[in-house]
């Protein structure tokens, strides 16, 4: 139930009322600055809707009231933290739960994550090791898929407008499905089928549960449930096929099987990684390439690093670790795009942030999208400047927020590596350009994206 509450905070509207009303709460705000309820029943829900997204609502709230603010979901007090300093007072690095995983499991009604601390820690380690092993064992696959995309782009005339978001999603789906589920997904028809079902499920995560419209449409709800059942059916077949057998290609599912998880746990973790891995990888690739198209000097410096490390020699996992500036480009992409703008925890016991007391069972939001644009932490916060990460203290701050180092979520770690390989392949051979006159509007959900397709053009370097 606590996990479901965390999910509801992020997805807001229809589900938030049903869940949070289950927690009795006082109308006292514990003296924390903020706004009073707009409506008795819904609290500040109308204000959030009018703002366009929870992230945009929090930006305004923190601008008005400071780094620790409060508002109301129904009758339930919510506290939001909006600077690095106050977040550091609340973040517990020993927590075994991943908020992204927690929210998706809550949505999918998965229940097997409710074990004790020791069991959850073991399962988290298996999950992380599965990601690490799948990357190490399938580097050649990621390189092959990247080179296939390069060949496709090289075949286009220089005036050809390329639908970047569409191509990055296709690339991410191919990468994730083959590394999670194996060579079944070398077949393009299987990939297309998976992508279609993934699209149905994820679109409802982003919209149908957000505005409550899914439950109002019998047709859409059936399409969502059918797509989810089909995805689970594929995973169940692969789990059954690979149990007790040895294969030349080691994939994510194999690590979970070898860890002696039961079939339901393997299914859940494979589903979570398939959903989250696809979308985070696709959006990181999309935003990184887009920012390169509008940042000529950054693209030039990245090309120089790639050429210095590889020349015209093959791209290898050993040498790719030397791409320090490329990693800074990806960190700055996450920061500038506000890739995952909200995270959340439930206050287990009464706590204190600065001079404010946070009551037990208060939902605490980490307004990461606010923090990542805070000028006191990030000078010229709206400027895309990977060079800021040359400063080790800046990278340390970024790591403390969970976007790098030991605290980064496994899906983001996976996305960093896959995107690094892709950029190494593309930038070494291509100039990347934005389409003149294009205006990119941002859509803030669980993962940030552009509202419309992002178009680019390319030309050959050699």
């Amino acid at each position: 139930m606590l996990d479901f509450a965390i999910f509801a905070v992020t997805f807001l509207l229809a589900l938030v009322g049903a869940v949070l009303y289950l927690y009795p709460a006082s109308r006292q705000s514990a003296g924390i600055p903020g706004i009073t309820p707009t409506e008795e029943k819904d609290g500040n829900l109308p204000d959030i809707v009018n703002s366009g997204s929870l992230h945009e609502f929090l930006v305004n709230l923190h601008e008005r009231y400071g780094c620790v603010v409060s508002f109301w979901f129904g009758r339930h007090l919510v506290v939001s933290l909006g600077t690095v300093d106050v977040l550091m007072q609340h973040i517990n690095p020993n927590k075994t739960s991943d908020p992204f995983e927690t929210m998706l499991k809550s949505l999918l009604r998965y229940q097997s994550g409710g074990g004790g601390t020791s069991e959850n820690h073991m399962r988290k380690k298996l999950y992380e090791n599965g990601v690490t092993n799948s990357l190490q064992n399938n580097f050649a696959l990621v390189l092959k898929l990247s080179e296939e995309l390069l060949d496709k782009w090289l075949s286009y005339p220089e005036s050809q407008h390329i639908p970047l978001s569409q191509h990055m999603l296709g690339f991410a789906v191919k990468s994730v499905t083959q590394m999670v589920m194996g060579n079944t997904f070398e077949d393009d028809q299987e990939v297309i089928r998976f992508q279609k079902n993934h699209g149905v499920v994820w679109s409802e995560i982003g919209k149908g549960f957000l505005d409550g419209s899914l439950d109002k449409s019998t047709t859409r709800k059936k399409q969502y449930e059918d797509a989810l059942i089909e995805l689970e059916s594929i995973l169940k077949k692969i789990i059954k096929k690979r149990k007790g057998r040895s294969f030349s290609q080691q994939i994510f599912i194999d690590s979970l099987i070898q860890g002696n998880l039961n079939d339901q746990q393997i299914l859940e973790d494979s589903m979570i990684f398939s959903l989250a891995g696809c979308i985070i990888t696709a959006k990181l690739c999309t935003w990184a390439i887009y920012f390169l198209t509008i940042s000529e000097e950054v693209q030039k410096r990245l090309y120089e690093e790639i050429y210095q490390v590889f020349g015209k020699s093959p791209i290898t996992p050993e040498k790719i670790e030397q791409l320090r500036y490329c990693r800074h480009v990806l960190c700055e992409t996450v920061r500038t795009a506000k890739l995952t703008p909200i995270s959340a925890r439930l206050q287990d016991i009464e706590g204190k942030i600065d001079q404010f007391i946070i009551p037990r069972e208060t939902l605490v939001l980490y307004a990461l999208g606010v923090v990542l644009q805070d000028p006191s932490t990030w000078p010229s916060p709206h400027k895309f400047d990977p060079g800021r990460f040359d400063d080790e203290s800046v990278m340390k701050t970024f790591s403390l927020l969970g976007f790098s180092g030991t605290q980064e979520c496994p899906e983001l770690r996976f996305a960093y590596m896959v995107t690094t390989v892709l950029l190494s392949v593309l930038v070494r051979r291509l100039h990347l350009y934005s389409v003149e006159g294009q205006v990119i509007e941002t859509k803030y959900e669980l993962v940030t994206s552009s509202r419309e397709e992002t178009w680019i053009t390319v030309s050959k370097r050699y």
Side-chain angles (χ1 to χ4, degrees):
M1 177 55 71
L2 299 189
D3 284 351
F4 189 73
I6 293 172
F7 158 73
V9 165
T10 305
F11 285 94
L12 305 181
L13 305 180
L15 295 181
V16 77
V19 176
L20 297 181
Y21 288 167
L22 296 178
Y23 292 101
S26 165
R27 278 301 201 199
Q28 299 301 311
S29 64
I32 298 172
I35 55 177
T36 57
T38 303
E39 295 183 2
E40 180 68 21
K41 179 181 178 183
D42 293 331
N44 298 115
L45 201 52
D47 303 304
I48 296 169
V49 174
N50 291 336
S51 296
S53 70
L54 178 57
H55 163 71
E56 290 159 301
F57 169 77
L58 292 178
V59 168
N60 179 264
L61 200 62
H62 282 286
E63 284 178 352
R64 291 171 61 190
Y65 295 103
C67 58
V68 182
V69 299
S70 65
F71 62 100
W72 299 88
F73 276 149
R75 299 177 182 278
H76 197 96
L77 175 68
V78 180
V79 172
S80 177
L81 308 180
T83 66
V84 170
D85 288 344
V86 294
L87 277 176
M88 291 307 100
Q89 295 178 49
H90 195 265
I91 289 175
N92 179 358
N94 298 315
K95 283 277 187 181
T96 58
S97 61
D98 174 356
F100 201 103
E101 175 188 340
T102 297
M103 289 182 283
L104 285 179
K105 283 189 174 182
S106 300
L107 168 66
L108 298 169
R109 306 297 193 268
Y110 287 161
Q111 300 294 328
S112 70
T117 301
S118 177
E119 179 185 339
N120 288 341
H121 181 73
M122 178 274 293
R123 191 169 169 188
K124 179 186 177 185
K125 278 296 180 187
L126 280 175
Y127 191 95
E128 292 175 344
N129 290 340
V131 173
T132 300
N133 293 338
S134 63
L135 284 169
Q136 290 175 346
N137 295 320
N138 293 282
F139 183 89
L141 169 64
V142 179
L143 185 58
K144 171 178 169 287
L145 294 173
S146 299
E147 290 173 340
E148 287 176 357
L149 184 64
L150 170 65
D151 290 341
K152 185 175 184 177
W153 286 10
L154 282 169
S155 71
Y156 292 156
E158 291 188 2
S159 60
Q160 176 77 47
H161 288 194
I162 298 171
L164 180 61
S165 300
Q166 178 185 322
H167 282 207
M168 292 303 98
L169 180 58
F171 169 76
V173 169
K174 285 183 179 180
S175 300
V176 171
T177 52
Q178 291 187 47
M179 292 172 73
V180 172
M181 294 173 272
N183 57 16
T184 299
F185 285 87
E186 290 177 357
D187 182 345
D188 283 346
Q189 291 304 310
E190 289 294 331
V191 174
I192 291 169
R193 179 180 162 207
F194 177 91
Q195 185 170 337
K196 179 182 176 182
N197 288 317
H198 178 280
V200 170
V201 172
W202 194 263
S203 67
E204 296 300 355
I205 289 174
K207 175 175 171 55
F209 283 94
L210 180 70
D211 60 13
S213 62
L214 182 62
D215 284 330
K216 297 174 185 175
S217 172
T218 305
T219 302
R220 276 176 53 196
K221 189 169 186 179
K222 185 176 188 308
Q223 288 174 341
Y224 167 79
E225 291 172 347
D226 288 348
L228 191 58
I229 289 169
E230 189 162 351
L231 290 176
E232 290 182 340
S233 175
I234 293 168
L235 286 168
K236 287 176 181 177
K237 288 177 184 176
I238 292 170
I239 293 167
K240 183 177 180 180
K241 174 183 176 182
R242 297 186 79 92
K243 263 199 163 182
R245 299 178 64 186
S246 179
F247 294 85
S248 57
Q249 182 194 17
Q250 288 294 301
I251 59 175
F252 179 77
I253 283 178
D254 294 332
S255 295
L256 303 184
I257 292 172
Q258 293 159 12
N260 295 319
L261 298 180
N262 63 46
D263 285 359
Q264 182 61 27
Q265 290 173 324
I266 296 170
L267 170 67
E268 291 180 8
D269 286 354
S270 300
M271 177 67 77
I272 295 301
F273 186 70
S274 298
L275 288 171
C278 280
I279 205 69
I280 290 179
T281 301
K283 299 311 176 188
L284 181 62
C285 289
T286 300
W287 283 115
I289 292 175
Y290 169 70
F291 286 133
L292 289 175
T293 68
I294 61 173
S295 309
E296 184 177 345
E297 285 303 312
V298 173
Q299 187 177 162
K300 179 183 177 183
R301 184 175 168 186
L302 178 60
Y303 167 75
E304 289 170 350
E305 180 183 70
I306 291 169
Y307 196 81
Q308 180 181 4
V309 171
F310 297 114
K312 294 186 179 180
S313 302
I315 293 170
T316 63
E318 294 77 22
K319 284 191 173 182
I320 212 160
E321 297 294 335
Q322 300 175 31
L323 297 176
R324 185 169 180 265
Y325 185 68
C326 185
R327 181 55 181 251
H328 293 175
V329 168
L330 296 183
C331 290
E332 182 68 347
T333 297
V334 169
R335 190 200 67 81
T336 308
K338 303 175 285 292
L339 192 68
T340 53
I342 307 289
S343 185
R345 296 284 187 193
L346 194 75
Q347 187 74 27
D348 298 326
I349 59 175
E350 183 178 276
K352 187 175 182 181
I353 301 292
D354 283 352
Q355 72 270 32
F356 305 115
I357 300 297
I358 300 181
R360 179 175 175 270
E361 290 189 351
T362 298
L363 285 161
V364 179
L365 298 187
Y366 296 173
L368 297 174
V370 175
V371 174
L372 292 173
Q373 301 288 294
D374 180 4
S376 67
T377 302
W378 318 95
S380 303
H382 301 293
K383 180 182 179 182
F384 183 72
D385 178 18
R388 72 175 80 242
F389 286 95
D390 292 340
D391 185 336
E392 287 298 325
S393 66
V394 173
M395 183 60 83
K396 182 179 179 181
T397 297
F398 200 64
S399 299
L400 289 171
L401 295 175
F403 293 115
S404 186
T406 58
Q407 296 301 310
E408 70 189 17
C409 74
E411 296 84 4
L412 183 57
R413 179 156 49 89
F414 176 90
Y416 277 143
M417 176 55 76
V418 172
T419 310
T420 301
V421 174
L422 179 65
L423 292 182
S424 298
V425 169
L426 295 179
V427 174
R428 185 163 69 162
R429 293 292 310 279
L430 296 171
H431 294 282
L432 308 170
Y433 306 102
S434 62
V435 172
E436 189 175 348
Q438 180 176 216
V439 177
I440 302 298
E441 294 186 7
T442 305
K443 180 170 65 174
Y444 298 104
E445 294 178 343
L446 184 56
V447 179
T448 300
S449 62
S450 58
R451 290 192 179 277
E452 305 292 340
E453 182 58 83
T454 302
W455 298 91
I456 67 167
T457 61
V458 302
S459 67
K460 300 174 186 177
R461 291 185 186 272
Y462 63 87

